[in-house]
Amino acid sequence: MAALRKKFGEDYQVVNTNEAMTFSAQVKRKRQRFVEKNGRCNVQHGNLGGETSRYISDLFTTLVDLKWRWNLLIFILTYTVAWLVMASMWWVIAFIRGDLSNGGHEDSYTPCVANVYNFPSAFLFFIETEATIGYGYRYITEKCPEGIILFLFQSLLGSIVDAFLIGCMFIKMSQPKKRAETLMFSQEAVISQRDGKLCLMFRVGNLRNSHMVSAQIRCKLIKSRQTPEGEFLPLDQCELDVGFGTGADQLFLVSPLTICHEINTKSPFFDLSQRSLMNEEFEIVVILEGIVETTGMTCQARTSYTEDEVLWGHRFLPVMSLEEGFFRVDYSQFHNHFEVNTPPYSVKEQEEKSSLTTPNSLPAAPTSSSPQLGNSGRGGRRERLLSADYADHVDDKASRLPSKLQRMSSTKDEYHWRGLKTGSVLPGGKASSTGDLPLSIQRLRSSSIPVVRKEQLDEQVQLLSMDGDVGECEMDKQRLPTAISTIFAPTPAPVQIPSKGGRPEDNLPAKLRRMNADR
């Protein structure tokens, strides 16, 4: 059994009968097309009921849409019946007036129509009159007023019938349907990569030297589907973008062109892979419209591609070649294609795979030369930190903390900012500023700096000396997150400098005063 399946394929099954053992394969049912390859729509209308009267109301279009054999039959029957009816009317007039009884028409007798003796002679008279032949042997006399009225009616009716039938035949002959026979479509569509993107492609061509003016191409995907509400939509139509937004659907069709549909997130083939293509059932209808240059009439050519006619990993062969003084198109290679290396995955799978394999880039820590922070030095950063807008923002953040933590943080940071303003000297003889700290610590400390008035400084220092308050603050700090608790970590007590002058800068050494002046 395994050997048979290996030889004939998985679709073959062994069928046991009483007579002998035979092999039968599951033949795939022929796909019922919505539009044939020649462009004919495979749709028939039935059970119209009383709606058939609508065809009679638009009789001219109904006659034009009929096939040629029915048009010719109606054309012949209409003229034949009209001629017989009018000839009969002339014969009735001759019979009523007694022209038929007087066969020889004596010289003293004046008939209605001269030389009409029977029905054949009346029919010949009508044909001579209708065709304006006028042999001169049969004619109407002035003694027959009813014949004159019938002659006028015959002329009007003949003009109407000629205009209707001849116009119908002319329109049918001048229809540009045969012009569509010289517009070619490739037998298969292919899927391969173009410019690094997976695309569905097919080829169109024009066999005539006359151009198609304002040629435009459209594609429709015909596929049955079921909505989330449970409604089944048979043969649902979906638009395939072939360059509507970029103008690529407007064709200059002087040589064969390859029409491309990019498969992306907006495409209905977003999750189509090489494996799923074997199990899909759909049909792609291609519609090419344009104005025939010679007649000025609009022409439309159609074709379709089923899932069996879409080849994965193929590309069309080139058909253009450069000769001496012109370009040559080789239509023998129009339908040919060759295999190319194409990933068998869908665009959706490729995007998911790339998102999993590519790690997310971590944001780089900004440096002192970062454009977000500026490159104006430490003095510029200190000015931005101490701006009024930033102080209001920090004051709003500090108001959200407990009151005891607010007092504690405000006291510490007041001493810190005093040291920055007065240029506090760190061990080693260097002036301290926020620019000497890492940038991440600067942001953490600056986010909790409230604006403290100078008059409240003594009261806040006295609050720090209370044992009970400090203990409760320590417990509150332990409940805070790590990022905030690091802000309120114990810092060295500020160095108290005795005040000698009116300004704090006067109490600094000369070296620090020069550094502050430089800043």
Side-chain angles (χ1 to χ4, degrees), residues 194-469:
R194 172 178 282 190
D195 297 331
K197 300 176 182 179
L198 196 65
C199 299
L200 170 70
M201 294 174 286
F202 57 91
R203 180 178 279 174
V204 296
N206 183 15
L207 298 180
R208 290 187 180 273
N209 291 329
S210 59
H211 299 166
M212 292 289 294
V213 182
S214 301
Q216 183 179 12
I217 194 163
R218 296 182 291 118
C219 290
K220 294 284 186 179
L221 175 65
I222 310 297
K223 183 179 179 180
S224 301
R225 68 182 183 91
Q226 189 173 6
T227 63
E229 295 80 12
E231 180 185 3
F232 180 73
L233 302 177
L235 302 178
D236 183 48
Q237 299 185 14
C238 178
E239 188 77 18
L240 292 181
D241 186 14
V242 288
F244 178 77
T246 60
D249 58 333
Q250 305 290 334
L251 307 181
F252 182 55
L253 197 60
V254 296
S255 63
L257 299 176
T258 301
I259 309 301
C260 178
H261 165 68
E262 180 184 343
I263 302 178
N264 50 26
T265 55
K266 298 181 180 179
S267 172
F269 297 131
F270 179 59
D271 55 352
L272 181 68
S273 63
Q274 185 177 8
R275 180 182 297 272
S276 63
L277 180 61
M278 303 177 183
N279 303 323
E280 289 286 344
E281 288 188 3
F282 60 85
E283 185 173 352
I284 302 173
V285 179
V286 181
I287 305 171
L288 176 62
E289 293 178 338
I291 300 174
V292 182
E293 187 180 29
T294 54
T295 62
M297 303 183 70
T298 303
C299 173
Q300 185 181 95
R302 297 181 296 267
T303 190
S304 68
Y305 301 99
T306 59
E307 67 279 357
D308 298 333
E309 298 169 345
V310 178
L311 305 179
W312 189 282
H314 285 249
R315 185 179 299 164
F316 289 107
L317 286 172
V319 294
M320 294 285 294
S321 61
L322 178 61
E323 303 292 340
E324 293 184 2
F326 62 93
F327 293 93
R328 183 174 181 271
V329 180
D330 184 10
Y331 277 98
S332 63
Q333 305 291 335
F334 184 82
H335 302 285
N336 295 342
H337 43 78
F338 61 97
E339 290 191 32
V340 293
N341 187 17
T342 305
Y345 310 106
S346 64
V347 177
K348 181 179 180 181
E349 294 173 348
Q350 293 180 18
E351 290 185 357
E352 292 177 353
K353 184 178 179 181
S354 61
S355 62
L356 292 176
T357 55
T358 304
N360 295 328
S361 58
L362 296 175
T367 59
S368 58
S369 61
S370 174
Q372 297 179 356
L373 299 177
N375 52 2
S376 58
R378 298 177 181 175
R381 283 197 298 271
R382 207 160 46 240
E383 291 172 0
R384 284 191 293 273
L385 288 173
L386 297 176
S387 63
D389 296 338
Y390 187 78
D392 295 340
H393 176 67
V394 171
D395 190 22
D396 180 65
K397 282 189 175 182
S399 62
R400 301 174 188 173
L401 297 176
S403 58
K404 296 180 180 180
L405 291 180
Q406 292 182 28
R407 291 194 299 270
M408 181 177 179
S409 60
S410 61
T411 304
K412 295 178 181 180
D413 291 318
E414 175 67 20
Y415 280 110
H416 176 71
W417 286 109
R418 267 191 173 184
L420 290 177
K421 291 180 180 180
T422 57
S424 301
V425 182
L426 294 177
K430 295 183 180 180
S432 62
S433 67
T434 54
D436 298 329
L437 299 176
L439 202 56
S440 58
I441 299 178
Q442 294 179 33
R443 290 196 297 268
L444 289 174
R445 294 189 63 86
S446 62
S447 61
S448 61
I449 298 174
V451 179
V452 183
R453 298 180 180 178
K454 190 174 181 181
E455 297 86 348
Q456 301 174 356
L457 180 60
D458 298 334
E459 182 183 355
Q460 292 174 355
V461 173
Q462 291 176 5
L463 290 174
L464 283 174
S465 62
M466 298 175 64
D467 296 336
D469 291 347

Side-chain angles (χ1 to χ4, degrees), residues 75-89:
F75 186 86
I76 295 172
L77 288 178
T78 302
Y79 275 107
T80 303
V81 171
W83 292 345
L84 291 176
V85 170
M86 294 304 299
S88 301
M89 295 178 71

